[in-house]
Amino acid sequence: MKPYRIRALNMGETRVPSAEVYWMTKLTGWDPLTFWSLLIENDDRRILLNTGFAQDHSALHQHWTTWAKSAMGEEGHVPVVKPENWIVNALARHSLTPDQIDHVVITPMTAYATGGLDQFKKAQIWFSRTGWIDFHAPDPEVPQLPRHIVFPPHILTWLVTEAASRLHFLPDEETEILPGLKSWFCGAHHRSSVVVLIQTEAGPVAATDAVFT
């Protein structure tokens, strides 16, 4: 197995209530967050972890800022997404197009990870099976994100029609996605959150949305 190289692509930024980052142990203040896509490559394949925000992320903007205002009594949680953060432009800076990506892994299933999915017309697409089921058949007793925040509507339509034959669903237990790339369900952040373990020359690297900072 050839080890992977990893490059981090900036997908945008925001500031969030500190309680969201530190699980209610720091109840005041705000913390900056950067959203990342990881370009994972070796000589055999190119893998992308997350696809960033949709070009029109106004629905997410409204959802985040409304929630933050009700929780904190302050204005905040504005997504700052510049043209260079759009996944197509971010890849172009590395002389790549979406058609050159072989696999896309998503964690979690939410708008800052799924927003560029429909640009990847040839890639195999990987989600948590638990997260996919939770989205389509949610427990009525468990609070859910609005469906249009998990998937922008045009992305969901594309996934279950044009891209349906390229979808793959990861089990909860540790599994090998591809040589040198493993995953397992971790929860903590979302019901679709997984850990992706990447073998590099420097050793294993774990990537997950369940660790903010």
Side-chain angles (χ1 to χ4, degrees):
M1 192 282 300
K2 298 175 182 177
Y4 291 102
R5 305 175 297 276
I6 302 173
R7 285 185 278 191
L9 311 179
N10 187 325
M11 296 289 99
E13 301 173 351
T14 192
R15 66 184 192 112
V16 302
S18 299
E20 187 178 351
V21 176
Y22 297 106
W23 286 96
M24 305 302 287
T25 60
K26 181 182 176 184
L27 298 180
T28 60
W30 297 78
D31 277 74
L33 287 185
T34 301
F35 299 90
W36 301 98
S37 172
L38 297 184
L39 178 60
I40 304 163
E41 303 175 279
N42 63 17
D43 293 340
D44 298 324
R45 61 186 62 88
R46 291 190 180 97
I47 303 150
L48 194 68
L49 180 65
N50 293 338
T51 65
F53 297 85
Q55 287 184 296
D56 179 3
H57 53 277
S58 56
L60 182 67
H61 183 139
Q62 181 178 5
H63 176 73
W64 273 359
T65 54
T66 300
W67 174 84
K69 179 68 173 179
S70 66
M72 301 292 289
E74 301 175 37
E75 302 293 338
H77 216 326
V78 176
V80 179
V81 185
K82 300 176 182 178
E84 60 263 32
N85 300 135
W86 170 233
I87 188 61
V88 176
N89 296 338
L91 288 172
R93 288 198 300 277
H94 298 283
S95 302
L96 293 172
T97 69
D99 283 353
Q100 293 173 281
I101 302 299
D102 302 304
H103 299 267
V104 176
V105 183
I106 296 295
T107 180
M109 286 163 40
T110 198
Y112 56 77
T114 61
L117 265 172
D118 62 337
Q119 303 302 302
F120 296 87
K121 310 296 187 183
K122 298 181 178 180
Q124 303 300 305
I125 300 169
W126 301 80
F127 296 110
S128 158
R129 179 177 294 276
T130 291
W132 186 261
I133 292 171
D134 185 68
F135 175 77
H136 287 284
D139 183 338
E141 301 298 322
V142 177
Q144 303 288 327
L145 282 172
R147 292 174 67 83
H148 69 284
I149 298 303
V150 177
F151 289 113
H154 71 283
I155 297 291
L156 181 58
T157 299
W158 178 81
L159 282 172
V160 299
T161 54
E162 182 180 336
S165 64
R166 295 185 282 113
L167 302 188
H168 305 271
F169 300 103
L170 298 165
D172 288 353
E173 60 270 26
E174 182 175 319
T175 189
E176 186 173 65
I177 305 174
L178 297 160
L181 198 75
K182 294 181 178 180
S183 75
W184 61 87
F185 173 77
C186 64
H189 187 204
H190 289 287
R191 292 295 291 168
S192 57
S193 295
V194 300
V195 175
V196 177
L197 192 69
I198 307 153
Q199 294 298 329
T200 74
E201 286 188 349
V205 173
T208 177
D209 59 284
V211 179
F212 283 177
T213 185

